[in-house]
Structures are given as structure tokens and as C-alpha cells.
């Protein structure tokens, strides 16, 4: 069920969780194949943002976006969250990686692919990005977002209404940009209490497949510091901490 900036997920056996793709078309096709062939599209899947902006390989951002938009409209159990790289185009605030202006690089990619119509395409993508929620809360108390937590989210209502103060509010910024170090383990636990959850899954920070920070799992599905992982979250399991999620982590290999 969609409630503003929050999706509530239940009524299924599993939920597949995939984090930052960053324009990696090969990895995207792999995760799509897992959902379509291994699970016959029968369980929900969530991609947690940062679909776009290549990290040094051939940029499949446009192909990924075009497919995501079709699937997002077609399947009610196909969920997408906003990431900070999509946010950059909504706000007009450029994102840099390794000294490269990735927001500008994306605009150049659109120009190459769509010629004189590239600005129209960019506006259509911006409208799509503005449709996207910020987080998932599962019935067994797992909270999933691109990044975070945020000290400005005091409860589920704040998460539901997160867009009301605009895309440059402190709550939005922290839910899309915060990395461990800007928050501590105690902050994770306090946030989880406020949103009535016991564990948290985020992407945003490249790690070797996954990293446990207290009751938070940082997951790298494509852009990573080594292995690439996703989570096959058992929605019927009792989740009391992030430790209960470790056995649900899966890796892709080529």
C-alpha cells in the first residue's frame, strides 16, 4: 500500500531488495531475470534508488529508466524508491563523483540519444522521479530506504508526509544522503523505534556485498567494493534485529 513517501509491504512470502544500479545494465538485467524467472514475478521487488549515473562503465541509465517506467506502471508489486542521484535532477543540484559532474554527464547522454528532444526527455524523467516514494516498511518490521536514518523523522507520519516541505528539506536530505559516520548505531536504533521497525536496509555506500552496522544492513547490489548482493527478504519471518536478515542475503556471480 502506498502512503505518500512510504510503501507498506505484506501479504507475500518474499520481497527482493536491490540497491544502487548506477547505470549498470548488465546487473539490472540479472536482477530482472531473477524476479521474472526464479520468482515468476509473483513476489514484490524494490529497487532502492540511484538507477542512473554510471561509475566508469558503459552507461545504461536510459535503458534502465525506460524499462523501470514500463514495469512500474505495469506491475503493482514492482517498487522503486528515490535515490540521491535522481534527486539531483529534481533539485538541479549537481552530483559529483571522482571530480566528475554526473548530473551534467547524464544530460549529455540524453543529448546523444535524443538530440533536440533531450530536454523534453529530461523533464519527463523528472516527473517520474517525483512520483517515487522514499521508503518501504514491511509487515515484519524491516525498514528499507536509499540511505539514512534521519533525525528529522520523528514517526511514520513524517515519513509519509516527507515531500510536504520540498525536496531540499533536512529530512529528505538525510534520508537520501546520510552515511554511517553522520549517524551512529544509537541513532539507527532510535530511528527504528520511531518508525516501528527492528532492522533497516540501505544502499548508497559501496561495500563488499553487505556490511552490518548495528541494526542496519548496508547492501551493495551493483556498484560495490567487491561482491554484489541482494536480499530475498522472508516476509513471514520474525525479524528482531539486522542479524536475522544475514541468512537472506544472496550474491550474484558471472
Amino acid at each position: 500500500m502506498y502512503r505518500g513517501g512510504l510503501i507498506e509491504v505484506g501479504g507475500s512470502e518474499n520481497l527482493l531488495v536491490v540497491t544502487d544500479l548506477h547505470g549498470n545494465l548488465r546487473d539490472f538485467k540479472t536482477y530482472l531475470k531473477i524476479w521474472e524467472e526464479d520468482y515468476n514475478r509473483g513476489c514484490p521487488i524494490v529497487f532502492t534508488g540511484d538507477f542512473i549515473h554510471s561509475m566508469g562503465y558503459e552507461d545504461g541509465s536510459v535503458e534502465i529508466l525506460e524499462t523501470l517506467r514500463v514495469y512500474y506502471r505495469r506491475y503493482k508489486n514492482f517498487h522503486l524508491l528515490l535515490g540521491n542521484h535522481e534527486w539531483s535532477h529534481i533539485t538541479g543540484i549537481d552530483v559529483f563523483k571522482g571530480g566528475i559532474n554526473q548530473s551534467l554527464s547524464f544530460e549529455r547522454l540524453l543529448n546523444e540519444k535524443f538530440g533536440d528532444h533531450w530536454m523534453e526527455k529530461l523533464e519527463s524523467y523528472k516527473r517520474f522521479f517525483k512520483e517515487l516514494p522514499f521508503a518501504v516498511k514491511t509487515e515484519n518490521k524491516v525498514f528499507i530506504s536509499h540511505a539514512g536514518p534521519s533525525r528529522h523523522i520523528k514517526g511514520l507520519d513524517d515519513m509519509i508526509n516527507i515531500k510536504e516541505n520540498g525536496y531540499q528539506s533536512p529530512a529528505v536530505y538525510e534520508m537520501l544522503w546520510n552515511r554511517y559516520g553522520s549517524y551512529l548505531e544509537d541513532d539507527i536504533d532510535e530511528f527504528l523505534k520511531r518508525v516501528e521497525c527492528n532492522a533497516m536496509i540501505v544502499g548508497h555506500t559501496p561495500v563488499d556485498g553487505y556490511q552490518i552496522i548495528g541494526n542496519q544492513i548496508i547492501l551493495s547490489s551493483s556498484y560495490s567494493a567487491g561482491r554484489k548482493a541482494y536480499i530475498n527478504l522472508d516476509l513471514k519471518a520474525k525479524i528482531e534485529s539486522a542479524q536475522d536478515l544475514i541468512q537472506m542475503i544472496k550474491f550474484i556471480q558471472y
Side-chain angles (χ1 to χ4, degrees), residues 143-243:
F143 190 91
I144 304 162
S145 56
H146 178 69
S150 168
R151 295 181 179 89
H152 291 84
I153 298 295
K154 304 301 184 183
L156 287 173
D157 284 345
D158 286 346
M159 206 60 243
I160 291 166
N161 300 314
I162 192 170
K163 299 181 188 181
E164 286 190 356
N165 294 319
Y167 282 88
Q168 295 187 52
S169 71
V172 166
Y173 187 86
E174 289 178 351
M175 289 307 303
L176 296 181
W177 283 93
N178 267 3
R179 301 183 196 272
Y180 184 65
S182 57
Y183 59 88
L184 302 174
E185 289 187 27
D186 286 348
D187 296 314
I188 297 168
D189 290 337
E190 285 298 318
F191 175 81
L192 288 171
K193 287 178 186 176
R194 296 197 297 268
V195 296
E196 302 168 24
C197 289
N198 294 330
M200 185 176 189
I201 302 169
V202 300
H204 188 50
T205 301
V207 295
D208 181 9
Y210 74 97
Q211 182 177 348
I212 303 288
I213 305 292
N215 281 313
Q216 182 184 77
I217 289 183
I218 302 173
L219 184 73
S220 289
S221 296
S222 182
Y223 179 53
S224 78
R227 296 172 296 174
K228 300 180 179 184
Y230 67 102
I231 290 181
N232 177 10
L233 177 53
D234 182 352
L235 294 175
K236 303 302 181 185
K238 186 175 183 179
I239 306 298
E240 296 182 334
S241 73
Q243 294 294 322

Side-chain angles (χ1 to χ4, degrees), residues 21-24 51-61 85 97 100 102 105-106 109 223:
L21 294 166
H22 280 297
N24 192 317
F51 323 119
I52 60 175
H53 296 173
S54 168
M55 295 299 177
Y57 34 77
E58 184 176 354
D59 197 339
S61 294
H85 284 255
K97 283 282 189 181
I100 297 173
Q102 294 195 302
S105 295
F106 182 70
L109 178 67
Y223 179 53

